Amino acid sequence: IYDDAQVRAWAKVTDAVHAAGGKIVVQLWHVGRSSHPDLLPDHASPVAPSAIQADSIAFTASGPKPCAPPVALDRAGIREVAADFAKSVANARRAGFDGVEIHGANGYLIDQFIRDRTNHRSDEYGGTAKNRARFALEIAAAASEAWDAGHIGIRLSPFGTYGDMGDSDPENTFGTLIEQLDPLGLAYLHMVEEFPFANIQMEPGQAPSREQRAVFHRLRAFWNGAYIANGGLTADSAETLLEDGYATATSFGRPFIANPDLVERFR
């Protein structure tokens, strides 16, 4: 959603959703190192916080290929990415979306800055958890300048391993980030708490352990706004999270892909 043609095209979609009484939020993401020159203008290299290649796959027009070695963003590049996010937020507003979700999860660029497996920088964007949170905070601030913070949400996946991700101390890393995000007054925090393929530093198909579940409850305490819980939920388990006050809302991904009428099925 970076040019006028896309704004015009998306406006048809948002108009249709509103005509049916719905609301629609656009998720904005930059994949960072999870890419390949085949996908980029002028066959350029992917960018990342540090020049660390992902042991993962990029899906190109000619089929899956190993992710290419990235180049580390310099400060000018970081400012450019923040400006791109701000422009996309402004375009989303013009296109009639009801809000924007910043994708800071699933091993993409913002997540790569947050976690120490992928961020080996020695400047103000690397090292401590506070420094590694800086990029995400700057993106959130830029988005909030393009549209008020009440229309901006953010998605995080503290234990995600998808995209060759990890962190030596997820609770400290994400606690530091969430504590700094909270005063911005964003619309919501969308937290991936379980994922089907090795998202939570566990074997595929396993649920979070009691210890990992306790970490999410402690992270939740840093956030005073609306909280969306995501991952591995059923109608009943989601209802329990709402009833006990843990979550403001819950979200479903895979069940919706197979069941476009999921809401009616739940009803």
Side-chain angles (χ1 to χ4, degrees):
I1 193 162
Y2 52 82
D3 65 20
D4 289 340
Q6 293 166 338
V7 171
R8 291 192 297 271
W10 276 113
K12 299 176 183 178
V13 177
T14 60
D15 285 348
V17 170
H18 293 148
K23 293 187 182 296
I24 180 168
V25 171
V26 60
Q27 187 185 71
L28 301 180
W29 37 308
H30 187 312
V31 300
R33 71 176 190 160
S34 297
S35 191
H36 189 277
D38 287 2
L39 299 167
L40 298 168
D42 301 321
H43 214 67
S45 295
V47 297
S50 301
I52 302 170
Q53 186 173 3
D55 183 12
S56 189
I57 295 295
F59 297 94
T60 75
S62 56
K65 294 184 178 182
C67 291
V71 296
L73 279 168
D74 58 17
R75 289 179 178 85
I78 288 173
R79 290 193 296 271
E80 183 178 346
V81 171
D84 286 343
F85 268 93
K87 180 181 179 181
S88 295
V89 170
N91 284 345
R93 185 177 185 179
R94 291 169 52 213
F97 283 95
D98 296 291
V100 166
E101 177 171 287
I102 298 168
H103 198 339
N106 294 22
Y108 300 137
L109 184 62
I110 294 173
D111 200 22
Q112 292 160 27
F113 267 88
I114 294 168
R115 297 204 261 174
D116 59 15
R117 181 182 178 93
T118 43
N119 185 340
H120 293 183
R121 300 175 73 98
S122 58
D123 62 4
E124 68 270 30
Y125 291 93
T128 66
K130 186 174 182 180
N131 280 357
R132 286 182 277 114
R134 189 184 306 276
F135 182 71
L137 292 165
E138 289 182 355
I139 297 295
S144 299
E145 289 177 6
W147 201 354
D148 63 274
H151 288 89
I152 311 294
I154 190 166
R155 176 177 169 94
L156 303 175
S157 56
F159 289 94
T161 58
Y162 180 69
D164 191 22
M165 295 298 295
D167 190 84
S168 62
D169 188 355
E171 183 171 356
N172 176 61
T173 292
F174 284 87
T176 299
L177 171 61
I178 294 168
E179 191 173 24
Q180 293 179 88
L181 282 169
D182 185 67
L184 298 181
L186 300 180
Y188 61 81
L189 170 61
H190 189 181
M191 191 77 90
V192 182
E193 298 186 350
E194 186 178 340
F195 208 79
F197 37 95
N199 184 69
I200 199 157
Q201 296 179 185
M202 60 174 64
E203 292 301 313
Q206 280 187 304
S209 67
R210 181 176 299 179
E211 179 182 350
Q212 289 162 335
R213 179 59 63 197
V215 170
F216 280 112
H217 278 267
R218 290 193 292 272
L219 292 176
R220 173 72 179 90
F222 287 112
W223 185 258
N224 291 300
Y227 183 91
I228 303 176
N230 169 261
L233 295 171
T234 65
D236 289 341
S237 64
E239 192 66 29
T240 298
L241 294 181
L242 300 176
E243 289 176 351
D244 68 14
Y246 175 79
T248 314
T250 57
S251 69
F252 296 84
R254 285 169 293 131
F256 258 123
I257 294 172
N259 305 280
D261 60 343
L262 185 68
V263 173
E264 294 306 317
R265 287 174 178 267
F266 281 175
R267 285 179 177 149

XYZ file of all heavy atoms in Angstrom, residues 29-81:
385
model
N 4.056 -4.906 7.088
C 5.269 -5.628 7.477
C 6.376 -5.493 6.456
O 6.130 -5.258 5.284
C 4.989 -7.091 7.778
C 3.981 -7.829 6.955
C 2.687 -7.442 6.701
C 4.139 -9.088 6.333
N 2.062 -8.398 5.958
C 2.921 -9.427 5.715
C 5.197 -9.984 6.243
C 2.735 -10.609 5.003
C 5.001 -11.166 5.540
C 3.778 -11.470 4.930
N 7.577 -5.618 6.953
C 8.800 -5.599 6.149
C 9.539 -6.877 6.528
O 9.850 -7.096 7.691
C 9.622 -4.358 6.516
C 10.831 -4.128 5.652
N 11.738 -5.122 5.353
C 11.294 -2.994 5.047
C 12.706 -4.619 4.595
N 12.455 -3.340 4.390
N 9.830 -7.740 5.533
C 10.361 -9.057 5.879
C 11.848 -9.042 6.240
O 12.365 -10.028 6.771
C 10.114 -10.083 4.747
C 8.625 -10.238 4.486
C 10.849 -9.693 3.472
N 12.550 -7.942 5.951
C 13.965 -7.899 6.307
C 14.758 -8.997 5.631
O 14.711 -9.171 4.409
N 15.498 -9.775 6.420
C 16.395 -10.798 5.866
C 15.645 -12.002 5.305
O 16.242 -12.824 4.596
C 17.379 -11.257 6.938
C 16.753 -12.097 8.041
C 17.785 -12.610 9.009
N 17.209 -13.608 9.924
C 17.920 -14.494 10.608
N 19.232 -14.507 10.512
N 17.321 -15.371 11.407
N 14.361 -12.149 5.621
C 13.577 -13.300 5.140
C 13.154 -13.066 3.693
O 11.962 -12.988 3.378
C 12.361 -13.523 6.040
O 12.770 -13.855 7.343
N 14.137 -12.942 2.821
C 13.861 -12.578 1.430
C 14.973 -13.083 0.524
O 15.884 -13.789 0.962
C 13.707 -11.050 1.316
O 13.208 -10.681 0.053
N 14.867 -12.684 -0.755
C 15.815 -13.138 -1.776
C 15.898 -12.054 -2.850
O 14.905 -11.380 -3.127
C 15.319 -14.459 -2.386
C 16.300 -15.120 -3.289
N 16.439 -14.768 -4.621
C 17.202 -16.115 -3.051
C 17.389 -15.512 -5.158
N 17.869 -16.333 -4.243
N 17.059 -11.866 -3.485
C 17.171 -10.843 -4.535
C 16.137 -10.983 -5.650
O 15.767 -9.990 -6.284
C 18.597 -11.050 -5.057
C 19.344 -11.583 -3.878
C 18.368 -12.470 -3.160
N 15.658 -12.204 -5.921
C 14.632 -12.384 -6.955
C 13.368 -11.589 -6.653
O 12.575 -11.299 -7.557
C 14.250 -13.863 -7.076
C 15.330 -14.692 -7.755
O 16.384 -14.125 -8.094
O 15.116 -15.914 -7.925
N 13.154 -11.250 -5.393
C 11.944 -10.545 -4.975
C 12.140 -9.036 -4.875
O 11.178 -8.315 -4.596
C 11.484 -11.068 -3.603
C 11.132 -12.555 -3.532
C 10.999 -13.001 -2.083
C 9.851 -12.842 -4.298
N 13.361 -8.567 -5.095
C 13.690 -7.173 -4.802
C 14.072 -6.395 -6.051
O 14.626 -6.963 -7.005
C 14.828 -7.120 -3.780
C 14.486 -7.756 -2.427
C 15.728 -7.929 -1.580
C 13.467 -6.890 -1.688
N 13.796 -5.081 -6.069
C 14.168 -4.249 -7.221
C 15.672 -4.326 -7.490
O 16.484 -4.338 -6.552
C 13.761 -2.834 -6.786
C 12.694 -3.046 -5.752
C 13.081 -4.308 -5.032
N 16.011 -4.399 -8.763
C 17.413 -4.430 -9.191
C 18.191 -5.599 -8.584
O 19.412 -5.548 -8.450
C 18.119 -3.103 -8.845
C 17.439 -1.916 -9.502
O 17.015 -2.050 -10.668
O 17.325 -0.862 -8.837
N 17.472 -6.640 -8.189
C 18.100 -7.837 -7.643
C 18.974 -7.489 -6.419
O 20.061 -8.064 -6.214
C 18.943 -8.537 -8.710
C 18.942 -10.030 -8.585
N 17.817 -10.807 -8.795
C 19.930 -10.903 -8.262
C 18.116 -12.079 -8.619
N 19.400 -12.172 -8.298
N 18.499 -6.555 -5.617
C 19.255 -6.108 -4.443
C 19.263 -7.174 -3.353
O 18.448 -8.106 -3.360
C 18.637 -4.823 -3.893
N 20.197 -7.026 -2.425
C 20.254 -7.935 -1.280
C 19.203 -7.533 -0.246
O 18.862 -6.347 -0.116
C 21.635 -7.883 -0.630
O 22.622 -8.366 -1.511
N 18.676 -8.491 0.521
C 17.779 -8.142 1.622
C 18.522 -7.319 2.672
O 19.762 -7.292 2.695
C 17.374 -9.500 2.203
C 17.723 -10.508 1.157
C 18.890 -9.934 0.411
N 17.756 -6.651 3.522
C 18.348 -5.861 4.607
C 17.952 -6.467 5.953
O 16.958 -7.183 6.055
C 17.927 -4.380 4.549
C 18.430 -3.736 3.273
C 16.409 -4.232 4.677
N 18.751 -6.172 6.972
C 18.547 -6.730 8.305
C 19.267 -5.843 9.316
O 20.029 -4.956 8.932
C 19.087 -8.151 8.363
N 19.040 -6.078 10.605
C 19.818 -5.315 11.589
C 21.299 -5.656 11.530
O 22.161 -4.792 11.722
C 19.202 -5.728 12.934
C 18.498 -7.011 12.660
C 18.029 -6.929 11.244
N 21.606 -6.928 11.255
C 22.984 -7.398 11.136
C 23.073 -8.336 9.941
O 22.072 -8.922 9.519
C 23.408 -8.139 12.409
O 23.304 -7.300 13.550
N 24.268 -8.489 9.414
C 24.473 -9.308 8.211
C 24.538 -10.792 8.575
O 25.573 -11.457 8.425
C 25.736 -8.870 7.486
N 23.405 -11.319 9.072
C 23.315 -12.717 9.481
C 22.255 -13.395 8.618
O 21.081 -13.030 8.666
C 22.936 -12.833 10.973
C 23.955 -12.095 11.847
C 22.830 -14.295 11.384
C 23.528 -11.964 13.298
N 22.673 -14.381 7.835
C 21.755 -15.048 6.923
C 20.782 -15.939 7.688
O 21.159 -16.630 8.643
C 22.545 -15.889 5.920
C 21.701 -16.525 4.825
C 22.558 -17.206 3.775
O 23.795 -17.250 3.895
N 21.929 -17.745 2.745
N 19.515 -15.940 7.265
C 18.497 -16.774 7.893
C 18.535 -18.187 7.332
O 18.625 -18.373 6.112
C 17.112 -16.177 7.664
N 18.497 -19.168 8.193
C 18.364 -20.556 7.771
C 16.885 -20.821 7.538
O 16.201 -21.480 8.327
C 18.930 -21.486 8.840
C 18.885 -22.957 8.430
O 18.637 -23.224 7.241
O 19.072 -23.817 9.313
N 16.375 -20.245 6.451
C 14.948 -20.288 6.168
C 14.739 -20.187 4.666
O 15.705 -20.068 3.896
C 14.237 -19.143 6.897
O 12.835 -19.265 6.808
N 13.481 -20.220 4.246
C 13.134 -20.266 2.834
C 12.371 -19.002 2.428
O 11.509 -18.521 3.167
C 12.262 -21.512 2.536
C 13.067 -22.795 2.789
C 11.736 -21.487 1.116
C 14.242 -22.981 1.875
N 12.709 -18.469 1.257
C 11.939 -17.386 0.647
C 11.157 -17.968 -0.524
O 11.664 -18.818 -1.269
C 12.870 -16.279 0.159
N 9.915 -17.516 -0.684
C 9.060 -18.045 -1.750
C 9.105 -17.099 -2.946
O 8.538 -16.018 -2.920
C 7.642 -18.237 -1.225
C 7.567 -19.253 -0.119
C 7.632 -18.856 1.203
C 7.471 -20.604 -0.413
C 7.589 -19.791 2.238
C 7.427 -21.549 0.605
C 7.496 -21.144 1.934
N 9.810 -17.513 -3.995
C 10.004 -16.689 -5.182
C 9.103 -17.178 -6.322
O 8.477 -18.234 -6.229
C 11.467 -16.731 -5.648
O 11.716 -17.994 -6.277
C 12.426 -16.534 -4.476
N 9.077 -16.416 -7.412
C 8.253 -16.780 -8.561
C 8.683 -18.107 -9.178
O 7.880 -18.806 -9.795
C 8.306 -15.682 -9.608
N 9.953 -18.465 -8.998
C 10.450 -19.719 -9.545
C 10.525 -20.820 -8.500
O 11.168 -21.852 -8.717
C 11.834 -19.509 -10.173
O 12.745 -18.960 -9.238
N 9.881 -20.600 -7.363
C 9.823 -21.612 -6.324
C 10.590 -21.229 -5.069
O 11.247 -20.174 -5.017
N 10.531 -22.072 -4.033
C 11.234 -21.779 -2.777
C 12.752 -21.760 -2.985
O 13.294 -22.602 -3.683
C 10.821 -22.935 -1.860
C 9.603 -23.533 -2.488
C 9.752 -23.333 -3.957
N 13.397 -20.769 -2.359
C 14.849 -20.679 -2.396
C 15.355 -20.303 -1.004
O 14.649 -19.642 -0.241
C 15.303 -19.602 -3.397
C 14.977 -19.918 -4.847
C 15.539 -18.853 -5.786
C 15.259 -19.189 -7.239
N 15.833 -18.184 -8.166
N 16.570 -20.702 -0.660
C 17.128 -20.290 0.631
C 17.193 -18.764 0.728
O 17.513 -18.090 -0.259
C 18.535 -20.903 0.626
C 18.459 -22.027 -0.357
C 17.493 -21.580 -1.409
N 16.885 -18.227 1.884
C 17.017 -16.779 2.088
C 18.454 -16.355 1.809
O 19.401 -17.067 2.157
C 16.637 -16.402 3.515
S 14.882 -16.587 3.869
N 18.605 -15.201 1.182
C 19.924 -14.728 0.770
C 20.639 -14.012 1.914
O 19.999 -13.540 2.860
C 19.773 -13.787 -0.420
N 21.964 -13.908 1.846
C 22.698 -13.130 2.850
C 22.229 -11.670 2.828
O 22.174 -11.058 1.751
C 24.154 -13.249 2.397
C 24.200 -14.489 1.561
C 22.873 -14.552 0.876
N 21.893 -11.106 3.988
C 21.436 -9.719 4.028
C 22.583 -8.746 4.256
O 23.695 -9.150 4.633
C 20.502 -9.707 5.233
C 21.148 -10.676 6.189
C 21.779 -11.746 5.308
N 22.301 -7.468 4.025
C 23.227 -6.406 4.414
C 22.628 -5.656 5.599
O 21.405 -5.516 5.714
C 23.490 -5.431 3.243
C 24.184 -6.160 2.114
C 22.210 -4.802 2.752
N 23.495 -5.209 6.491
C 23.027 -4.501 7.687
C 22.564 -3.088 7.321
O 23.252 -2.368 6.588
C 24.140 -4.437 8.720
N 21.410 -2.701 7.815
C 20.913 -1.340 7.605
C 21.798 -0.332 8.322
O 22.141 -0.526 9.497
C 19.484 -1.213 8.141
C 18.349 -1.717 7.246
C 17.058 -1.787 8.051
C 18.163 -0.807 6.042
N 22.154 0.749 7.638
C 22.810 1.854 8.334
C 21.742 2.798 8.877
O 20.541 2.564 8.702
C 23.799 2.579 7.412
C 23.137 3.138 6.155
O 21.894 3.264 6.121
O 23.875 3.468 5.203
N 22.152 3.861 9.538
C 21.174 4.755 10.164
C 20.255 5.401 9.124
O 19.061 5.582 9.369
C 21.895 5.826 10.985
C 22.541 5.276 12.259
C 23.270 6.379 13.013
N 23.851 5.910 14.253
C 25.044 5.326 14.339
N 25.769 5.107 13.238
N 25.509 4.941 15.517
N 20.811 5.737 7.969
C 19.989 6.325 6.911
C 18.937 5.324 6.446
O 17.782 5.678 6.188
C 20.864 6.768 5.743
N 19.333 4.059 6.336
C 18.392 3.024 5.942
C 17.295 2.818 6.963
O 16.127 2.587 6.610
N 17.650 2.905 8.224
C 16.660 2.785 9.296
C 15.640 3.909 9.207
O 14.428 3.693 9.318
C 17.363 2.768 10.668
C 18.090 1.428 10.857
C 16.374 3.018 11.798
C 18.955 1.371 12.091
N 16.123 5.132 8.984
C 15.201 6.269 8.849
C 14.288 6.102 7.638
O 13.104 6.462 7.681
C 16.001 7.579 8.751
C 16.694 7.995 10.045
C 17.199 9.429 9.971
N 18.241 9.592 8.952
C 19.549 9.428 9.182
N 19.972 9.080 10.390
N 20.430 9.623 8.219
N 14.835 5.535 6.567
C 14.043 5.323 5.361
C 12.921 4.310 5.611
O 11.790 4.491 5.160
C 14.948 4.838 4.228
C 14.222 4.659 2.901
C 15.158 4.235 1.779
O 16.383 4.331 1.957
O 14.647 3.799 0.738
N 13.231 3.236 6.332
C 12.213 2.235 6.639
C 11.113 2.845 7.510
O 9.919 2.613 7.277
C 12.837 1.008 7.338
C 11.748 0.075 7.858
C 13.747 0.252 6.377
